[in-house]
PDB file of all heavy atoms in Angstrom:
ATOM      1  N   MET A  64     -18.964 -33.293 -12.138  1.00 92.00           N
ATOM      2  CA  MET A  64     -18.543 -32.883 -13.470  1.00 92.00           C
ATOM      3  C   MET A  64     -18.089 -34.135 -14.209  1.00 92.00           C
ATOM      4  O   MET A  64     -17.349 -34.952 -13.666  1.00 92.00           O
ATOM      5  CB  MET A  64     -17.408 -31.866 -13.429  1.00 92.00           C
ATOM      6  CG  MET A  64     -16.965 -31.409 -14.812  1.00 92.00           C
ATOM      7  SD  MET A  64     -15.675 -30.162 -14.745  1.00 92.00           S
ATOM      8  CE  MET A  64     -16.660 -28.728 -14.411  1.00 92.00           C
ATOM      9  N   GLN A  65     -18.559 -34.282 -15.434  1.00 91.00           N
ATOM     10  CA  GLN A  65     -18.238 -35.467 -16.226  1.00 91.00           C
ATOM     11  C   GLN A  65     -17.964 -35.031 -17.654  1.00 91.00           C
ATOM     12  O   GLN A  65     -18.632 -34.145 -18.181  1.00 91.00           O
ATOM     13  CB  GLN A  65     -19.429 -36.424 -16.199  1.00 91.00           C
ATOM     14  CG  GLN A  65     -19.173 -37.755 -16.855  1.00 91.00           C
ATOM     15  CD  GLN A  65     -20.411 -38.617 -16.812  1.00 91.00           C
ATOM     16  OE1 GLN A  65     -21.228 -38.545 -17.715  1.00 91.00           O
ATOM     17  NE2 GLN A  65     -20.557 -39.413 -15.770  1.00 91.00           N
ATOM     18  N   MET A  66     -16.954 -35.631 -18.281  1.00 91.00           N
ATOM     19  CA  MET A  66     -16.678 -35.343 -19.684  1.00 91.00           C
ATOM     20  C   MET A  66     -16.148 -36.581 -20.384  1.00 91.00           C
ATOM     21  O   MET A  66     -15.572 -37.468 -19.759  1.00 91.00           O
ATOM     22  CB  MET A  66     -15.732 -34.168 -19.835  1.00 91.00           C
ATOM     23  CG  MET A  66     -14.423 -34.271 -19.128  1.00 91.00           C
ATOM     24  SD  MET A  66     -13.571 -32.682 -19.168  1.00 91.00           S
ATOM     25  CE  MET A  66     -13.135 -32.564 -17.458  1.00 91.00           C
ATOM     26  N   GLY A  67     -16.393 -36.633 -21.679  1.00 89.00           N
ATOM     27  CA  GLY A  67     -15.951 -37.784 -22.445  1.00 89.00           C
ATOM     28  C   GLY A  67     -16.018 -37.514 -23.938  1.00 89.00           C
ATOM     29  O   GLY A  67     -16.417 -36.435 -24.377  1.00 89.00           O
ATOM     30  N   LEU A  68     -15.631 -38.511 -24.701  1.00 83.00           N
ATOM     31  CA  LEU A  68     -15.616 -38.430 -26.169  1.00 83.00           C
ATOM     32  C   LEU A  68     -16.374 -39.606 -26.766  1.00 83.00           C
ATOM     33  O   LEU A  68     -16.467 -40.664 -26.156  1.00 83.00           O
ATOM     34  CB  LEU A  68     -14.181 -38.484 -26.700  1.00 83.00           C
ATOM     35  CG  LEU A  68     -13.257 -37.329 -26.347  1.00 83.00           C
ATOM     36  CD1 LEU A  68     -11.831 -37.660 -26.757  1.00 83.00           C
ATOM     37  CD2 LEU A  68     -13.716 -36.062 -27.038  1.00 83.00           C
ATOM     38  N   THR A  69     -16.867 -39.410 -27.994  1.00 79.00           N
ATOM     39  CA  THR A  69     -17.434 -40.541 -28.724  1.00 79.00           C
ATOM     40  C   THR A  69     -16.303 -41.458 -29.159  1.00 79.00           C
ATOM     41  O   THR A  69     -15.124 -41.077 -29.133  1.00 79.00           O
ATOM     42  CB  THR A  69     -18.212 -40.057 -29.967  1.00 79.00           C
ATOM     43  OG1 THR A  69     -17.330 -39.288 -30.784  1.00 79.00           O
ATOM     44  CG2 THR A  69     -19.419 -39.226 -29.585  1.00 79.00           C
ATOM     45  N   LYS A  70     -16.638 -42.664 -29.568  1.00 78.00           N
ATOM     46  CA  LYS A  70     -15.623 -43.652 -29.935  1.00 78.00           C
ATOM     47  C   LYS A  70     -14.704 -43.146 -31.048  1.00 78.00           C
ATOM     48  O   LYS A  70     -13.500 -43.356 -31.017  1.00 78.00           O
ATOM     49  CB  LYS A  70     -16.285 -44.964 -30.343  1.00 78.00           C
ATOM     50  CG  LYS A  70     -15.302 -46.088 -30.547  1.00 78.00           C
ATOM     51  CD  LYS A  70     -15.998 -47.410 -30.770  1.00 78.00           C
ATOM     52  CE  LYS A  70     -15.003 -48.530 -30.880  1.00 78.00           C
ATOM     53  NZ  LYS A  70     -15.648 -49.833 -30.982  1.00 78.00           N
ATOM     54  N   ASN A  71     -15.281 -42.442 -32.036  1.00 80.00           N
ATOM     55  CA  ASN A  71     -14.461 -41.934 -33.150  1.00 80.00           C
ATOM     56  C   ASN A  71     -13.765 -40.614 -32.794  1.00 80.00           C
ATOM     57  O   ASN A  71     -13.065 -40.054 -33.615  1.00 80.00           O
ATOM     58  CB  ASN A  71     -15.310 -41.764 -34.411  1.00 80.00           C
ATOM     59  CG  ASN A  71     -16.392 -40.718 -34.273  1.00 80.00           C
ATOM     60  OD1 ASN A  71     -16.464 -39.972 -33.294  1.00 80.00           O
ATOM     61  ND2 ASN A  71     -17.269 -40.669 -35.258  1.00 80.00           N
ATOM     62  N   GLN A  72     -13.967 -40.127 -31.586  1.00 81.00           N
ATOM     63  CA  GLN A  72     -13.345 -38.911 -31.051  1.00 81.00           C
ATOM     64  C   GLN A  72     -13.692 -37.648 -31.842  1.00 81.00           C
ATOM     65  O   GLN A  72     -12.985 -36.658 -31.788  1.00 81.00           O
ATOM     66  CB  GLN A  72     -11.832 -39.079 -30.935  1.00 81.00           C
ATOM     67  CG  GLN A  72     -11.449 -40.177 -29.987  1.00 81.00           C
ATOM     68  CD  GLN A  72      -9.951 -40.317 -29.815  1.00 81.00           C
ATOM     69  OE1 GLN A  72      -9.167 -39.608 -30.424  1.00 81.00           O
ATOM     70  NE2 GLN A  72      -9.543 -41.236 -28.966  1.00 81.00           N
ATOM     71  N   LYS A  73     -14.811 -37.667 -32.568  1.00 83.00           N
ATOM     72  CA  LYS A  73     -15.242 -36.489 -33.306  1.00 83.00           C
ATOM     73  C   LYS A  73     -16.137 -35.578 -32.469  1.00 83.00           C
ATOM     74  O   LYS A  73     -16.297 -34.415 -32.793  1.00 83.00           O
ATOM     75  CB  LYS A  73     -15.986 -36.894 -34.574  1.00 83.00           C
ATOM     76  CG  LYS A  73     -15.080 -37.478 -35.637  1.00 83.00           C
ATOM     77  CD  LYS A  73     -15.829 -37.705 -36.920  1.00 83.00           C
ATOM     78  CE  LYS A  73     -14.884 -38.217 -37.979  1.00 83.00           C
ATOM     79  NZ  LYS A  73     -15.537 -38.338 -39.272  1.00 83.00           N
ATOM     80  N   HIS A  74     -16.735 -36.118 -31.405  1.00 82.00           N
ATOM     81  CA  HIS A  74     -17.647 -35.334 -30.579  1.00 82.00           C
ATOM     82  C   HIS A  74     -17.350 -35.600 -29.112  1.00 82.00           C
ATOM     83  O   HIS A  74     -16.990 -36.709 -28.731  1.00 82.00           O
ATOM     84  CB  HIS A  74     -19.106 -35.692 -30.863  1.00 82.00           C
ATOM     85  CG  HIS A  74     -19.489 -35.499 -32.289  1.00 82.00           C
ATOM     86  ND1 HIS A  74     -19.779 -34.263 -32.819  1.00 82.00           N
ATOM     87  CD2 HIS A  74     -19.598 -36.383 -33.305  1.00 82.00           C
ATOM     88  CE1 HIS A  74     -20.071 -34.396 -34.100  1.00 82.00           C
ATOM     89  NE2 HIS A  74     -19.959 -35.672 -34.424  1.00 82.00           N
ATOM     90  N   GLY A  75     -17.519 -34.579 -28.334  1.00 85.00           N
ATOM     91  CA  GLY A  75     -17.324 -34.715 -26.896  1.00 85.00           C
ATOM     92  C   GLY A  75     -18.494 -34.124 -26.149  1.00 85.00           C
ATOM     93  O   GLY A  75     -19.375 -33.509 -26.736  1.00 85.00           O
TER      94      GLY A  75
END
Side-chain angles (χ1 to χ4, degrees):
M64 181 178 280
Q65 186 181 89
M66 56 190 132
L68 295 171
T69 57
K70 188 172 184 175
N71 64 8
Q72 298 182 359
K73 288 187 177 185
H74 302 281

